Amino acid sequence: IDFLERSCTSEFSGFLLFKELSRRLKNRNPILAEAFHCMARDEARHAGFLNKAMSDFNLSLDLSYLTKNRTYTFFPPEWIIYTVYLSEKIGYWRYIIMFRHLESCPENRFYPLFRYFESWCQDENRHGDFFKALLRSQPQLWNNWKARLWVRFFLLSVFATHTLTVLERVSFYRSVGINPYEYNIQVIENTNETAARAFPVILDTEHPEFFRRLEECSDINLKLAEINSSNSPKIVKFFQKVPLILSIVGHLLRLYLIKPIDTELSREAVY
């Protein structure tokens, strides 16, 4: 149920983003507007499919509430391009790896939704390819030192978030026969390798400290969750959490400073 709720909300948020971009670009760039409209249609279909699945558990998300009651937060366009590209590509690898595992171990495919992950993830892959083309068409998004710093930041942010999310829900992944630690590593390594086709640099995931520090962050995050759920006074919780939060920041900073891999040096032009 937690997986369905989070996935449905995520897909519907993608629909709202793409629909808004399509609406705002309609008069200025009809071709881009149409592309965003098609991607919004895909995301809406995914959200509707997930919401329909939730009815099997006598649950339903009020997606109309999200449409009517929303707060706009404006980000620089390059932030949106970086984050959505990575979100779509990591989504592809999450779904395709799970689909291939369940295809080889059908005894763990305990719910019909798992059968549709392949076609679902291909939508995510196409969306990522669109954002890759968008990114590479704008040299200022990859051909300077600022872009290289931002790319490293967003790669690390997405990988850290994925690690925390997966290792918070180890019971779900084990229920379908997946080792969550191996799954997390496989998803991140494949996403990082794929990102080399779009980004000027990628992270060195083979560095001996890379996954060790991400998993340390996950362990600390679980301790923070325990503190939040305790009955201690708020002021006590605050002072308990401060050193843990600083520890996570320290781990992420060390990971950010690991020398990245320059993908432009190995990129070959095709004529």
Side-chain angles (χ1 to χ4, degrees):
I1 290 171
D2 180 65
F3 174 80
L4 290 173
E5 287 178 341
R6 289 175 62 88
S7 298
C8 185
T9 303
S10 176
E11 296 291 339
F12 194 73
S13 297
F15 158 73
L16 292 178
L17 171 65
F18 294 151
K19 188 68 176 176
E20 186 68 18
L21 287 169
S22 175
R23 185 180 69 83
R24 289 176 175 268
L25 289 168
K26 187 174 182 179
N27 295 325
R28 288 187 294 167
N29 194 320
I31 294 176
L32 270 183
E34 184 179 0
F36 281 115
H37 173 76
C38 291
M39 291 191 292
R41 177 198 60 195
D42 291 341
E43 301 290 344
R45 184 173 65 251
H46 298 167
F49 202 68
L50 286 160
N51 210 19
K52 179 67 175 175
M54 290 173 65
S55 65
D56 289 344
F57 305 94
N58 297 317
L59 295 170
S60 178
L61 289 180
D62 185 4
L63 298 178
S64 64
Y65 175 83
L66 296 177
T67 305
K68 297 173 185 175
N69 300 275
R70 52 182 169 165
T71 301
Y72 285 103
T73 303
F74 290 91
F75 295 104
E78 58 269 25
W79 290 14
I80 296 175
I81 293 173
Y82 293 146
T83 54
V84 176
Y85 169 75
L86 285 172
S87 174
E88 298 290 351
K89 285 301 183 181
I90 202 168
Y92 166 75
W93 284 111
R94 280 171 53 81
Y95 291 126
I96 197 64
I97 289 172
M98 187 176 289
F99 174 81
R100 288 169 179 165
H101 162 75
L102 294 173
E103 192 175 38
S104 63
C105 304
E107 67 276 9
N108 292 319
R109 193 167 52 197
F110 60 80
Y111 189 65
L113 182 67
F114 294 129
R115 298 179 182 272
Y116 298 94
F117 272 16
E118 183 179 27
S119 55
W120 185 352
C121 77
Q122 293 303 336
D123 285 343
E124 308 289 337
N125 199 30
R126 282 190 292 270
H127 296 176
D129 287 342
F130 170 79
F131 273 87
K132 171 198 164 187
L134 199 60
L135 190 154
R136 297 301 297 187
S137 71
Q138 306 297 315
Q140 71 273 18
L141 298 183
W142 55 270
N143 195 22
N144 57 70
W145 65 270
K146 288 183 180 179
R148 289 170 176 259
L149 293 178
W150 278 119
V151 162
R152 290 164 64 184
F153 171 80
F154 284 111
L155 279 166
L156 183 58
S157 299
V158 169
F159 294 162
T161 301
H162 185 264
T163 302
L164 299 186
T165 302
V166 169
L167 300 186
E168 276 179 343
R169 296 164 178 80
V170 294
S171 59
F172 167 71
Y173 293 97
R174 286 172 177 157
S175 72
V176 293
I178 289 177
N179 181 313
Y181 291 88
E182 294 177 0
Y183 173 76
N184 180 56
I185 291 172
Q186 194 175 359
V187 169
I188 288 176
E189 286 182 338
N190 279 286
T191 304
N192 193 54
E193 184 179 343
T194 300
R197 304 170 191 170
F199 290 159
V201 294
I202 56 174
L203 303 184
D204 183 6
T205 58
E206 295 184 0
H207 191 284
E209 292 190 10
F210 190 83
F211 286 106
R212 181 185 69 79
R213 289 190 179 277
L214 284 182
E215 290 172 9
E216 286 275 355
C217 289
S218 174
D219 292 341
I220 297 169
N221 183 56
L222 294 176
K223 292 177 183 177
L224 288 171
E226 290 177 6
I227 293 172
N228 282 329
S229 61
S230 71
N231 296 322
S232 301
K234 288 185 177 181
I235 187 66
V236 173
K237 289 183 180 181
F238 173 78
F239 284 107
Q240 287 176 330
K241 289 192 292 185
V242 167
L244 297 177
I245 293 171
L246 291 176
S247 181
I248 289 179
V249 172
H251 282 301
L252 294 178
L253 183 59
R254 290 289 295 274
L255 288 173
Y256 185 82
L257 294 176
I258 292 175
K259 184 179 179 180
I261 297 171
D262 192 328
T263 59
E264 294 299 323
L265 293 177
S266 60
R267 198 182 306 280
E268 294 182 359
V270 178
Y271 297 95

